[in-house]
Amino acid sequence: MGIPGGSLRGSPLTGSSLAAWRSLRERGRGGGAGTRPFSLSAAAGAILGLGGWGDDGGKQRLTLRDVAELMRKKECRRVVVMAGAGISTPSGIPDFRSPGSGLYSNLEQYNIPYPEAIFELTYFFINPKPFFTLAKELYPGNYRPNYAHYFLRLLHDKGLLLRLYTQNIDGLERVAGIPPDRLVEAHGTFATASCTVCRRNFPGEDFRGDVMADRVPRCPVCTGVVKPDIVFFGEELPQRFFLHVADFPMADLLFVIGTSLEVEPFASLAGAVRGSVPRVLINRDLVGPFAWRQRHNDVAQLGDVVSGVQALVELLGWSQELQTLIQKEKEKVGRDKTWLLDSNPAFRLFSPSADDGLE
Ligand SMILES: [Zn+2]
């Protein structure tokens, strides 16, 4: 299960609130009785089930409201986010792994033996066309970030985002303005591309013309086929993925948004934060360790992902600020006079009503 939780190994980044939590935790176990913790907030007390919070005999579990409170009080300021397809479907990104989706139908003309073949190197070298059909669809520019992406951007703007680990290859985190150094694109990106022969690396933008014209891009140096840096089956994950070794033990809050936590090694990361760290799942269903190895400080906001994020944003009191950010970005996109998907349901949420999506 990745990194064992609990060991801080002398990390200089242990906040006083964490120390307080640990101290509280000892108290909860009967150790260190009488020692007054430094900064006991009601929410932190609630995490540890110390009573005086709620009315069910101290068994009150952590809620989304408690998490918002911890964030507002800056008791959580090293937020790690794990994101999956669920944050991109509201942008209209097709579920390209599912038969019946528009994209899959587009691929049928190539008679690919099975959908996964488009991410297999052996198949790619025989017939790269199906993959480039997907590339054409997902190349930066076709889709726009939605409310969930901009929430993550705001998290970054506020200096709270330690890292965003995404399984998505649509690049919408970048489009939303989250800097690449805050991102781990675990399954790769179209933002860069590499020659399959000489391994030279290029900006993905260099091959936009080829991809859009249904031409297989070729290396300007050796004429080898150039492949966008999407991780294929059997390929190693990007080096940046190994940032998790430092990031997860350092995190003081984990968001898991829109992912079924089915794909390894990504999925195991959810268990790599320390036991004292609240984990918040915003997803359609209860998944992964939230279903089978739940912790006392796990929170599950189930249902529509954008509505779940919106509920959190309202509890944080960030609605207006996020609205302003989205409007600003929308105008920027408008100036670029590309895609304006006003028919997209995700964009109706730009003007949320007061209690939309709240419990
Ligand atoms: Zn080359």
Side-chain angles (χ1 to χ4, degrees):
M1 281 304 289
I3 309 138
S7 167
L8 292 170
R9 286 192 294 248
S11 164
L13 297 152
T14 311
S16 62
S17 62
L18 284 169
W21 289 7
R22 279 194 295 164
S23 154
L24 271 168
R25 187 169 233 220
E26 291 308 310
R27 257 181 67 180
R29 288 184 185 133
T35 313
R36 188 176 163 75
F38 330 108
S39 69
L40 169 58
S41 72
I47 295 166
L48 297 158
L50 294 184
W53 178 269
D55 53 10
D56 64 348
K59 284 184 181 171
Q60 182 86 30
R61 298 186 61 88
L62 196 65
T63 65
L64 198 63
R65 188 177 297 275
D66 298 330
V67 170
E69 193 64 17
L70 286 168
M71 291 174 74
R72 285 165 72 109
K73 290 185 173 171
K74 298 283 167 71
E75 291 188 31
C76 294
R77 53 200 314 170
R78 297 187 178 280
V79 184
V80 168
V81 180
M82 296 169 65
I87 70 163
S88 287
T89 40
S91 289
I93 303 282
D95 179 2
F96 50 84
R97 289 193 170 86
S98 299
S101 75
L103 185 69
Y104 188 77
S105 312
N106 290 345
L107 293 173
E108 278 174 349
Q109 61 180 302
Y110 297 106
N111 295 317
I112 56 169
Y114 42 92
E116 292 81 6
I118 59 173
F119 296 111
E120 286 178 0
L121 281 176
T122 43
Y123 187 77
F124 178 81
F125 287 124
I126 297 164
N127 182 12
K129 288 258 179 192
F131 173 75
F132 282 107
T133 303
L134 173 76
K136 186 178 179 181
E137 178 77 17
L138 292 183
Y139 232 63
N142 280 348
Y143 294 95
R144 289 179 55 191
N146 63 64
Y147 192 91
H149 295 103
Y150 285 118
F151 161 66
L152 300 174
R153 158 76 187 276
L154 191 55
L155 209 55
H156 164 69
D157 287 354
K158 288 177 178 289
L160 299 173
L161 181 67
L162 177 59
R163 206 86 63 191
L164 166 55
Y165 287 73
T166 182
Q167 293 169 286
N168 299 336
I169 57 173
D170 50 56
L172 291 182
E173 299 87 359
R174 291 182 189 231
V175 181
I178 300 164
D181 71 337
R182 288 287 140 193
L183 283 174
V184 171
E185 292 158 312
H187 296 164
T189 174
F190 288 101
T192 55
S194 303
C195 172
T196 54
V197 177
C198 74
R199 307 306 309 169
R200 278 184 178 80
N201 198 257
F202 304 95
E205 208 45 47
D206 289 5
F207 305 102
R208 171 181 293 278
D210 289 328
V211 172
M212 293 307 143
D214 301 316
R215 285 190 302 267
V216 173
R218 295 278 172 176
C219 176
V221 181
C222 79
T223 74
V225 172
V226 170
K227 174 181 155 297
D229 291 335
I230 300 300
V231 179
F232 277 31
F233 293 115
E235 283 192 301
E236 283 180 29
L237 294 190
Q239 283 299 309
R240 289 185 60 74
F241 183 74
F242 296 97
L243 286 170
H244 77 77
V245 175
D247 287 347
F248 279 72
M250 209 185 277
D252 55 18
L253 176 61
L254 176 69
F255 283 121
V256 177
I257 310 179
T259 167
S260 55
L261 290 177
E262 276 171 356
V263 182
E264 294 291 354
F266 192 87
S268 292
L269 290 181
V273 291
R274 285 164 294 125
S276 58
V277 171
R279 303 188 301 184
V280 179
L281 174 73
I282 300 176
N283 196 44
R284 186 153 293 284
D285 310 299
L286 203 58
V287 291
F290 292 88
W292 47 263
R293 195 177 289 171
Q294 207 170 62
R295 298 178 180 176
H296 68 287
N297 47 9
D298 282 351
V299 178
Q301 178 75 19
L302 303 182
D304 175 66
V305 167
V306 169
S307 302
V309 172
Q310 195 183 0
L312 175 63
V313 167
E314 289 182 13
L315 289 168
L316 285 164
W318 293 359
S319 297
Q320 194 51 53
E321 212 173 335
L322 186 50
Q323 193 83 5
T324 308
L325 171 66
I326 290 170
Q327 196 53 45
K328 203 179 73 191
E329 292 293 314
K330 205 177 175 185
E331 282 162 14
K332 202 192 281 179
V333 168
R335 278 200 303 276
D336 295 345
K337 66 173 175 50
T338 34
W339 3 259
L340 278 169
L341 304 174
D342 281 326
S343 58
N344 188 319
F347 293 94
R348 282 185 228 130
L349 293 165
F350 282 174
S351 308
S353 65
D355 55 2
D356 221 8
L358 281 172
E359 290 173 326

mmCIF file of all heavy atoms in Angstrom, residues 74 80 112 145 166 194 295:
data_model
loop_
_atom_site.group_PDB
_atom_site.id
_atom_site.type_symbol
_atom_site.label_atom_id
_atom_site.label_comp_id
_atom_site.label_asym_id
_atom_site.label_seq_id
_atom_site.Cartn_x
_atom_site.Cartn_y
_atom_site.Cartn_z
ATOM 1 N N LYS A 74 -6.824 27.347 8.194
ATOM 2 C CA LYS A 74 -5.454 27.057 7.740
ATOM 3 C C LYS A 74 -4.811 25.917 8.524
ATOM 4 O O LYS A 74 -3.601 25.857 8.666
ATOM 5 C CB LYS A 74 -4.575 28.322 7.819
ATOM 6 C CG LYS A 74 -5.039 29.466 6.925
ATOM 7 C CD LYS A 74 -4.637 29.192 5.472
ATOM 8 C CE LYS A 74 -5.322 30.100 4.476
ATOM 9 N NZ LYS A 74 -4.871 31.469 4.492
ATOM 10 N N VAL A 80 -3.168 17.512 -0.981
ATOM 11 C CA VAL A 80 -2.873 16.681 -2.145
ATOM 12 C C VAL A 80 -4.210 16.236 -2.734
ATOM 13 O O VAL A 80 -5.129 15.885 -2.009
ATOM 14 C CB VAL A 80 -1.990 15.469 -1.777
ATOM 15 C CG1 VAL A 80 -1.939 14.456 -2.917
ATOM 16 C CG2 VAL A 80 -0.577 15.930 -1.433
ATOM 17 N N ILE A 112 -9.750 -1.903 -34.843
ATOM 18 C CA ILE A 112 -8.809 -2.274 -33.776
ATOM 19 C C ILE A 112 -9.349 -3.508 -33.068
ATOM 20 O O ILE A 112 -10.553 -3.673 -32.905
ATOM 21 C CB ILE A 112 -8.556 -1.127 -32.765
ATOM 22 C CG1 ILE A 112 -9.860 -0.616 -32.139
ATOM 23 C CG2 ILE A 112 -7.794 -0.004 -33.416
ATOM 24 C CD1 ILE A 112 -9.611 0.306 -30.975
ATOM 25 N N PRO A 145 -11.923 23.535 -19.307
ATOM 26 C CA PRO A 145 -12.034 23.123 -17.907
ATOM 27 C C PRO A 145 -13.415 23.481 -17.372
ATOM 28 O O PRO A 145 -14.102 24.359 -17.914
ATOM 29 C CB PRO A 145 -10.967 23.956 -17.194
ATOM 30 C CG PRO A 145 -10.101 24.531 -18.262
ATOM 31 C CD PRO A 145 -10.928 24.600 -19.501
ATOM 32 N N THR A 166 -3.194 13.648 -11.321
ATOM 33 C CA THR A 166 -4.345 13.370 -12.187
ATOM 34 C C THR A 166 -4.089 12.149 -13.059
ATOM 35 O O THR A 166 -2.966 11.905 -13.507
ATOM 36 C CB THR A 166 -4.711 14.586 -13.066
ATOM 37 O OG1 THR A 166 -5.866 14.260 -13.847
ATOM 38 C CG2 THR A 166 -3.571 14.973 -14.012
ATOM 39 N N SER A 194 7.544 12.691 -27.774
ATOM 40 C CA SER A 194 8.908 12.176 -27.927
ATOM 41 C C SER A 194 9.025 11.331 -29.183
ATOM 42 O O SER A 194 8.088 10.596 -29.537
ATOM 43 C CB SER A 194 9.298 11.308 -26.723
ATOM 44 O OG SER A 194 9.172 12.030 -25.530
ATOM 45 N N ARG A 295 -11.381 5.059 7.235
ATOM 46 C CA ARG A 295 -10.764 5.605 8.446
ATOM 47 C C ARG A 295 -11.761 6.515 9.150
ATOM 48 O O ARG A 295 -12.700 7.004 8.531
ATOM 49 C CB ARG A 295 -9.508 6.397 8.080
ATOM 50 C CG ARG A 295 -8.421 5.556 7.426
ATOM 51 C CD ARG A 295 -7.235 6.438 7.058
ATOM 52 N NE ARG A 295 -6.157 5.670 6.432
ATOM 53 C CZ ARG A 295 -5.045 6.228 5.953
ATOM 54 N NH1 ARG A 295 -4.879 7.549 6.021
ATOM 55 N NH2 ARG A 295 -4.106 5.488 5.412
#
